[in-house]
């Protein structure tokens, strides 16, 4: 949450910072602001609302520019999303500017202390205390990085901070604790950002910052030096890495929205996530999972922790893990997990699923699990992010950058990664024979083509979505792995269309939710394959009849050729036949398209739904 950019180099800092903020706007869009040291002073501008408001302000009242600058796009935590609470925050003389992502937990005490010393704080934010503390520290030590270290030692909570000072105009300083910050290293220039997307147009060389580290970017004649230290001032190990996607991957590529582009990219994302993980003989090779075979053979319980859409991927993974490995598996909301004192030990494998790799609830859950001695395997889409760094092992999904706030391609690739982990566990523990593993791997390899087929038949789904734009409620039903798909369909609709949408296990209908059914209420039903476990299929066909008899308008997602369901479907969405456990990979796609089109028809902002942010770095 909140996007941060810092720049030092030969280009116009303001332009670089604004372009970076545009790429980070998905992280928060309550307000935006910039600051540049220039002409012996500090120039700053900030505006409530989206970045466009700030750009308008800058067009009306341009700022001078120099070689250094910082910027921020906000997702509000402390204080309303207005101009005063927008970042950057300045000290009283207006010499230091600070941008911040996270929450400073002891800010009230620090604020009171500053007020006693005569500082006047003008916002309701926790951030503002940092600019005042930095100002004091700089006055006594004359070095912005040292001032930042001194201040960070006094702060509690989670924070990424980036600052500039009018008296040291060639320097940008950053710090991080439990909140993301990466360094981009270009030719004679360097960048700080919450996410590499902010500087990928300039460089693909990056440096990971560790916990409790301060970084200084200092411009010296034509070069820029990057120095990383701990909060205590000791030299820190620098971990450079190469970003393996380029700027075009983060562009809309002709689509109206990132979400549409990301939905369309799913076949490739699924195929890329399988790439290199299947050997010539068709068996699984997950050498990157560094948890040794003997440890995996000892595992007697799997616990999956995740939030939102990633949690839904985890719910589906539970079916595959238990079926293929016979190890008991629980899937739990990361935000609930550590507060209920879960039973964990050395024989528990915890799987943390996260697209961003920065979700605070998931991070806290995995830390708790490791403290209890459990091994943690991360499934993550973001290289070098905190969750994989703090896990024992990681399986990266190769979805590429996901910019739209609503997760789509990340979800499908999380599912693929979960299936791979489940099969791998089965392979290592001998609960799955080699030819069984190879057969599922073959079926997984067919999925990219099947997702493509689904995408090619989506026009009737879009038409249907448009016709429902004035509805208030849509319900979603599913059974078995179709139940988490129903939850995911409802979540997509809530977050994008701002409609009342709920997902239910179809078997629960009679225990309450059926009371909601009324004339013409749209109910989406995810139907399991009539092949395989036909008992599930027959039961859901009865459920469809029950709701239809009470007036529901049934929107049925069913396997092509499923004639038994056709008479009861007011709208039939056909998907390709897949094995039962893999069906979510194709059944989810129409629900993504449905939600995206409904949101568009209702005039909502598809890529940046209200009140949300892509990366939730606070608990
Ligand atoms: C919904 C959505 C969120 C995320 C959740 C976890 O479309 O995107 O529910 O899935 O915030 O985020 P990650 O996967 O980054 O941990």
């Amino acid at each position: 949450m909140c996007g941060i950019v810092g720049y030092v180099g030969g280009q116009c800092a303001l332009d670089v910072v604004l372009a970076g903020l545009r790429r980070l706007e998905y992280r928060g869009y309550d307000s935006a602001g910039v600051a540049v040291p220039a002409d012996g002073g500090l120039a700053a501008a900030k505006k409530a609302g989206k970045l466009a408001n700030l750009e308008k302000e800058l067009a009306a009242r341009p700022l001078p520019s120099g070689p250094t600058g910082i910027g921020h796009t906000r997702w509000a935590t402390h204080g309303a999303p207005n101009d005063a609470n927008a970042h950057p925050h300045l000290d009283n003389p207006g010499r230091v500017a600070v941008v911040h992502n996270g929450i400073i937990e002891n800010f009230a005490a620090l604020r009171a202390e500053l007020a006693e010393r005569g500082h006047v704080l003008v916002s309701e934010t926790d951030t503002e205390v940092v600019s005042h503390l930095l100002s004091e520290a700089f006055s006594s030590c004359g070095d912005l990085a040292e001032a930042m270290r001194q201040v960070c030692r006094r702060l509690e909570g989670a924070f990424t901070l980036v600052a500039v000072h009018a008296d040291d105009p060639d320097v940008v300083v950053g710090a991080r604790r439990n909140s993301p910050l990466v360094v981009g290293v270009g030719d004679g220039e360097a960048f700080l950002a919450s996410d590499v997307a902010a500087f990928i147009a300039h460089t693909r060389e990056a440096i990971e910052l560790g916990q409790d580290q301060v970084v200084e970017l200092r411009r010296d004649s034509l070069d820029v030096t990057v120095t990383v230290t701990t909060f205590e001032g000791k030299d820190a190990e620098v971990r450079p890495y190469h970003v393996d996607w380029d700027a075009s991957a983060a562009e809309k590529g002709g689509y109206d929205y990132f979400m549409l582009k990301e939905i369309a990219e799913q076949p490739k994302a699924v195929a890329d996530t399988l790439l290199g993980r299947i050997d010539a003989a068709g068996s699984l090779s997950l050498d990157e999972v560094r948890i040794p075979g003997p440890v995996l053979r000892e595992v007697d319980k799997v616990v999956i922790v995740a939030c939102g859409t990633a949690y839904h991927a985890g719910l589906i993974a539970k079916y595959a893990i238990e079926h293929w490995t016979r190890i008991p598996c629980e899937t739990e909301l990361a935000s609930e997990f550590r507060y209920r004192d879960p039973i964990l030990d050395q024989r528990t494998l915890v799987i943390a699923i996260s697209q961003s790799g920065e979700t605070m609830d998931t991070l806290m859950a995995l830390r708790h699990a490791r403290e209890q001695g459990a091994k943690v395997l991360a499934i993550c889409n973001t290289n070098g992010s905190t969750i994989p760094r703090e896990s024992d092992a990681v399986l990266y999904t190769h979805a590429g950058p996901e910019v739209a706030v609503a997760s789509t391609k990340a979800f499908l690739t999380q599912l693929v990664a979960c299936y791979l982990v489940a099969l791998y566990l089965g392979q290592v523990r001998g609960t799955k024979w080699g030819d069984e593993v190879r057969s599922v791997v073959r079926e997984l390899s067919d999925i990219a083509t099947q997702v493509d087929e689904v995408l090619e038949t989506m026009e009737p789904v879009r038409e249907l979505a448009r016709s429902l734009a004035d509805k208030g409620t849509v319900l979603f039903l599913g059974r078995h792995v179709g139940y988490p798909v129903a939850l995911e369909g409802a979540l997509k609709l809530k977050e994008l269309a701002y409609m009342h949408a709920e997902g239910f296990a179809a078997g629960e209908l009679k225990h309450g939710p059926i009371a909601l059914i009324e004339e013409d209420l749209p109910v989406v039903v995810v139907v399991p394959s009539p092949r395989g476990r036909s008992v599930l299929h027959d039961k859901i066909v009865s459920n469809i009849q029950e709701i239809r008899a009470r007036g529901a308008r049934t929107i049925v997602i069913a396997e092509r050729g499923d004639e038994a369901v056709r008479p009861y479907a007011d709208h039939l969405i056909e998907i390709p036949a897949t094995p039962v456990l893999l069906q979510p990979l194709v059944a989810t796609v129409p629900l993504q398209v449905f939600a995206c089109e409904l949101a568009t028809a209702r005039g909502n902002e598809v890529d940046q739904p209200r009140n949300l942010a892509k990366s939730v770095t606070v608990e």
Side-chain angles (χ1 to χ4, degrees):
M1 309 190 120
C2 298
I4 288 181
V5 185
Y7 176 75
V8 180
Q11 305 187 55
C12 165
L14 194 55
D15 291 349
V16 176
V17 166
L18 283 171
L21 289 180
R22 225 164 281 131
R23 295 233 191 238
L24 295 188
E25 216 186 355
Y26 70 86
R27 299 180 68 89
Y29 28 85
D30 288 332
S31 63
V34 287
V36 284
D39 309 331
L42 191 71
K46 50 190 192 172
K47 264 303 187 226
K50 296 200 165 195
L51 187 58
N53 292 358
L54 174 70
E55 286 171 329
K56 249 186 251 155
E57 166 73 13
L58 290 171
R61 274 171 287 278
L63 293 188
S65 187
T68 52
I70 61 174
H72 187 266
T73 175
R74 177 171 187 239
W75 187 86
T77 53
H78 286 78
N82 55 27
D83 287 356
N85 291 331
H87 299 215
H89 289 281
L90 274 57
D91 61 339
N92 284 149
R95 307 289 294 167
V96 61
V98 174
V99 292
H100 166 220
N101 171 25
I103 294 178
I104 294 163
E105 282 166 3
N106 58 336
F107 90 100
L110 294 170
R111 196 180 168 103
E113 187 192 294
L114 284 162
E116 250 174 49
R117 290 204 291 274
H119 293 257
V120 180
L121 284 88
V122 293
S123 78
E124 302 157 297
T125 67
D126 49 346
T127 310
E128 200 183 359
V129 298
V130 178
S131 43
H132 288 254
L133 291 170
L134 259 184
S135 174
E136 283 186 341
F138 185 88
S139 302
S140 57
C141 73
D143 178 307
L144 193 55
E146 173 52 22
M148 182 65 95
R149 286 189 284 271
Q150 290 177 13
V151 172
C152 285
R153 294 200 290 268
R154 299 209 54 204
L155 302 180
E156 288 164 20
F159 48 85
T160 295
L161 295 161
V162 172
V164 284
H165 201 298
D167 295 338
D168 208 353
D170 289 327
V171 169
V172 172
V173 162
R176 80 170 281 252
R177 168 181 287 166
N178 287 338
S179 199
L181 185 64
V182 276
V183 186
V185 185
D187 191 8
E189 57 185 0
F191 308 78
L192 289 178
S194 311
D195 178 333
V196 293
F199 55 72
I200 195 73
H202 304 278
T203 179
R204 289 166 73 179
E205 303 313 315
I207 295 175
E208 278 179 30
L209 282 188
Q211 278 309 353
D212 289 10
Q213 292 185 350
V214 166
V215 58
E216 180 197 71
L217 312 183
R218 179 175 289 278
R219 190 167 188 255
D220 247 335
S221 61
L222 286 179
D223 214 2
V224 172
T225 318
V226 177
T227 311
V228 185
T229 58
T230 64
F231 283 179
E232 275 67 44
K234 297 201 181 80
D235 288 346
E237 189 198 343
V238 172
R239 286 179 291 194
Y241 67 101
H242 179 76
V243 182
D244 57 10
W245 48 274
D246 62 16
S248 65
E251 300 286 358
K252 282 190 203 155
Y255 289 89
D256 287 345
Y257 307 111
F258 278 108
M259 184 175 176
L260 286 173
K261 175 180 173 245
E262 289 160 8
I263 289 173
E265 283 171 346
Q266 291 184 115
K268 180 171 186 309
V270 164
D272 286 352
T273 301
L274 288 170
L275 217 64
R277 287 161 176 168
I278 301 165
D279 66 20
S283 304
L284 262 188
S285 95
L286 294 190
D287 296 343
E288 61 208 289
V289 175
R290 298 179 310 264
I291 304 178
V295 175
L296 290 179
R297 277 190 279 278
E298 285 297 300
V299 167
D300 64 2
K301 180 164 75 166
V302 177
V303 180
I304 302 176
V305 289
C307 303
T309 289
Y311 168 69
H312 297 154
L315 288 175
I316 293 164
K318 171 184 162 71
Y319 291 84
I321 290 174
E322 291 196 336
H323 185 63
W324 289 337
T325 71
R326 310 311 296 156
I327 314 172
C329 174
E330 296 163 25
T331 301
E332 182 134 5
L333 289 168
S335 53
E336 290 293 321
F337 175 71
R338 75 184 166 127
Y339 298 105
R340 69 165 178 86
D341 195 13
I343 302 165
L344 305 163
D345 59 29
Q346 290 83 342
R347 298 178 70 183
T348 313
L349 175 67
V350 171
I351 302 178
I353 309 176
S354 174
Q355 187 285 129
S356 61
E358 300 293 348
T359 300
M360 187 56 81
D361 289 312
T362 311
L363 178 61
M364 289 305 179
L366 83 83
R367 283 186 185 161
H368 181 77
R370 292 193 78 197
E371 275 160 24
Q372 311 297 308
K375 285 269 176 291
V376 177
L377 167 67
I379 290 179
C380 184
N381 194 42
T382 312
N383 259 285
S385 55
T386 311
I387 287 173
R389 276 215 316 261
E390 295 203 12
S391 299
D392 296 287
V394 55
L395 189 67
Y396 281 110
T397 51
H398 297 307
E402 191 178 65
V403 177
V405 165
S407 191
T408 53
K409 60 176 179 170
F411 177 68
L412 256 57
T413 57
Q414 283 161 357
L415 287 179
V416 171
C418 287
Y419 292 128
L420 291 178
V421 169
L423 281 177
Y424 185 65
L425 278 172
Q427 183 173 288
V428 171
R429 296 164 64 92
T431 51
K432 275 262 162 217
W433 298 107
D435 54 345
E436 290 175 303
V437 171
R438 280 192 289 279
S439 145
V440 182
V441 160
R442 255 196 315 278
E443 287 158 345
L444 271 173
S445 307
D446 290 340
I447 292 289
T449 315
Q450 292 172 320
V451 173
D452 217 10
E453 279 170 38
V454 176
L455 288 171
E456 275 168 19
T457 55
M458 284 297 95
E459 196 40 47
V461 173
R462 282 190 279 270
E463 214 171 283
L464 171 66
R466 289 193 291 272
S467 75
L468 299 176
D470 59 351
K471 291 281 178 196
T473 298
V474 180
L475 302 184
F476 293 77
L477 301 180
R479 269 183 184 265
H480 192 253
V481 288
Y483 168 45
V485 173
L487 295 178
E488 176 60 8
L491 176 61
K492 286 280 110 54
L493 206 59
K494 276 178 222 171
E495 66 181 327
L496 292 165
Y498 317 149
M499 287 168 85
H500 172 227
E502 277 194 73
F504 298 109
E508 276 293 291
L509 262 188
K510 296 192 221 32
H511 303 287
I514 200 162
L516 290 169
I517 305 293
E518 55 187 20
E519 199 54 38
D520 209 34
L521 179 83
V523 184
V524 179
V525 190
V526 184
V527 179
S529 168
R531 302 163 301 113
R533 297 190 161 195
S534 57
V535 60
L536 279 178
H537 176 267
D538 298 350
K539 288 214 167 14
I540 211 157
V541 174
S542 306
N543 295 142
I544 298 173
Q545 286 170 277
E546 286 154 13
I547 55 169
R548 203 153 179 269
R550 288 162 177 81
R553 190 195 307 192
T554 56
I555 303 165
V556 175
I557 300 180
E559 194 172 293
R560 194 169 302 127
D562 182 352
E563 292 307 321
V565 89
R566 192 179 286 275
Y568 312 110
D570 294 310
H571 306 271
L572 182 62
I573 302 170
E574 291 185 304
I575 52 174
T578 57
V580 175
L581 279 170
L582 304 190
Q583 197 203 43
L585 287 164
V586 289
T588 309
V589 177
L591 300 181
Q592 299 167 340
V593 173
F594 181 71
C596 184
E597 191 68 22
L598 240 164
T600 311
R602 285 164 75 95
N604 296 351
E605 293 244 14
V606 170
D607 285 337
Q608 295 174 344
R610 68 184 181 203
N611 304 336
L612 290 172
K614 182 78 184 154
S615 169
V616 184
T617 53
V618 292
E619 268 191 274

